[in-house]
């Protein structure tokens, strides 16, 4: 993203919303931020910005809500909650042990470096709010991939922060699907069938592109 701050810009009525963009493409990032017709909930606080390095703390209630989106069932939520507590215990500095979005965005960094990333996770909350705003407006979520393969990534052509963005966006779309099915048919059997098959009923929101 270079040194261009961007707080996100969801354009009402737009067809697409760019939900994730690789920081290595700084020239294209400049074009995106300057084009007011482009809808994007991407957020970037460069070094020197007052929000760079800040963290968005999560109490137990907010953490539970986050895990509902990131995980598909209670067992997976319990496993992730336990991993988060392990990451918290492994951090070197006591002041860093408060739970924040870093725990789910950058688990490998926390595990290997025993510290939170310098850029922080304050950006993720406005990103999350913008994503919901774009989805409420029926915009097609779009992910822009980097063109350099990272063999360390299970998400292949995604940058570090992008992996957390995409995991969250996928989980949110799945959660919205489940809520819509439940509201439509009030049939728990049909909901479980959807969870098993992954098929999207006709007329439902467009998946991540």
């Amino acid at each position: 993203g270079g040194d261009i701050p961007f707080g996100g810009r969801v354009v009402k009525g737009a067809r697409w919303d760019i939900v994730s963009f690789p920081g290595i493409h700084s020239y294209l990032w400049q074009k995106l931020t300057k084009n007011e017709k482009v809808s994007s909930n991407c957020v970037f606080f460069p070094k020197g910005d007052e929000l760079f390095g800040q963290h968005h703390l999560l109490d137990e209630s907010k953490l539970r809500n986050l895990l509902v989106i990131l995980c598909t069932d209670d067992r997976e939520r319990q496993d992730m909650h336990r991993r988060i507590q392990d990451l918290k215990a492994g951090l070197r500095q006591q002041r860093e042990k408060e739970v924040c979005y870093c725990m789910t965005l950058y688990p490998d960094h926390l595990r290997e470096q025993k510290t939170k990333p310098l850029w922080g996770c304050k950006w993720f909350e406005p990103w999350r709010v913008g994503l919901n705003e774009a989805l409420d407006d029926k915009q097609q979520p779009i992910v822009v991939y980097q063109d350099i393969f990272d063999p360390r990534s299970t998400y292949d052509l995604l940058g570090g922060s992008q992996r957390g963005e995409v995991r969250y966006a996928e989980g949110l779309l799945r959660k919205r699907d489940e809520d819509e099915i439940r509201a439509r048919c009030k049939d728990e059997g049909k909901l479980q069938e959807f969870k098993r098959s992954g098929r999207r009923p006709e007329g439902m929101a467009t998946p991540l592109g």
Side-chain angles (χ1 to χ4, degrees):
D3 57 358
I4 301 176
F6 189 64
R9 178 186 56 235
V10 176
V11 180
K12 293 294 184 183
R15 185 174 179 182
W16 298 287
D17 175 61
I18 298 177
V19 304
S20 188
F21 194 95
I24 62 171
H25 296 318
S26 57
Y27 173 71
L28 294 177
W29 174 253
Q30 292 178 37
K31 293 178 72 68
L32 181 154
T33 58
K34 292 178 181 178
N35 189 340
E36 295 187 357
K37 295 181 179 180
V38 175
S39 185
S40 174
N41 65 292
C42 292
V43 174
F44 178 66
F45 301 134
K47 191 172 183 179
D49 189 280
E50 63 179 359
L51 295 178
F52 178 87
Q54 301 298 309
H55 299 272
H56 188 93
L57 303 182
L58 301 171
D59 59 23
E60 189 62 27
S61 176
K62 290 179 180 178
L63 178 59
R64 284 198 302 269
N65 291 337
L66 176 62
L67 296 185
V68 165
I69 291 173
L70 294 177
C71 305
T72 57
D73 54 41
D74 288 340
R75 182 174 180 177
E76 188 178 348
R77 281 189 281 275
Q78 291 169 3
D79 287 345
M80 181 170 283
H81 192 281
R82 184 167 53 251
R83 290 197 298 272
I84 288 172
Q85 298 308 312
D86 290 343
L87 289 172
K88 176 181 173 181
L91 294 174
R92 292 195 189 97
Q93 299 185 42
Q94 185 63 33
R95 63 181 178 82
E96 288 197 328
K97 290 183 181 291
E98 292 181 290
V99 175
C100 64
Y101 283 126
C102 285
M103 305 298 189
T104 56
L105 288 170
Y106 311 113
D108 291 341
H109 180 100
L110 269 63
R111 190 176 300 110
E112 295 168 6
Q113 304 297 324
K114 308 298 183 186
T115 187
K116 292 179 179 179
L118 290 175
W119 52 91
C121 63
K122 197 72 172 180
W123 62 270
F124 189 80
E125 181 63 10
W127 178 91
R128 183 193 67 79
V129 171
L131 174 61
N132 278 277
E133 183 181 346
L135 293 177
D136 288 343
D137 196 42
K138 308 301 182 185
Q139 297 182 25
Q140 161 75 56
I142 298 293
V143 174
V144 179
Y145 292 84
Q146 60 185 21
D147 55 7
I148 300 175
F149 175 71
D150 183 352
R152 300 168 298 176
S153 171
T154 56
Y155 284 82
D156 297 340
L157 299 177
L158 294 173
S161 294
Q162 284 191 282
R163 298 164 204 169
E165 291 172 337
V166 170
R167 279 194 296 266
Y168 184 90
E170 289 174 339
L172 180 60
L173 288 168
R174 181 183 62 248
K175 177 67 165 53
R176 281 174 167 248
D177 282 351
E178 293 176 4
D179 291 346
E180 187 170 344
I181 291 173
R182 187 176 283 112
R184 279 188 181 189
C185 62
K186 296 181 172 54
D187 185 333
E188 188 65 24
K190 289 186 180 297
L191 177 61
Q192 296 306 319
E193 181 183 351
F194 159 72
K195 286 184 174 182
R196 290 192 297 270
S197 69
R199 293 194 303 271
R200 302 174 63 80
E202 184 178 352
M204 293 188 65
T206 308
L208 201 63

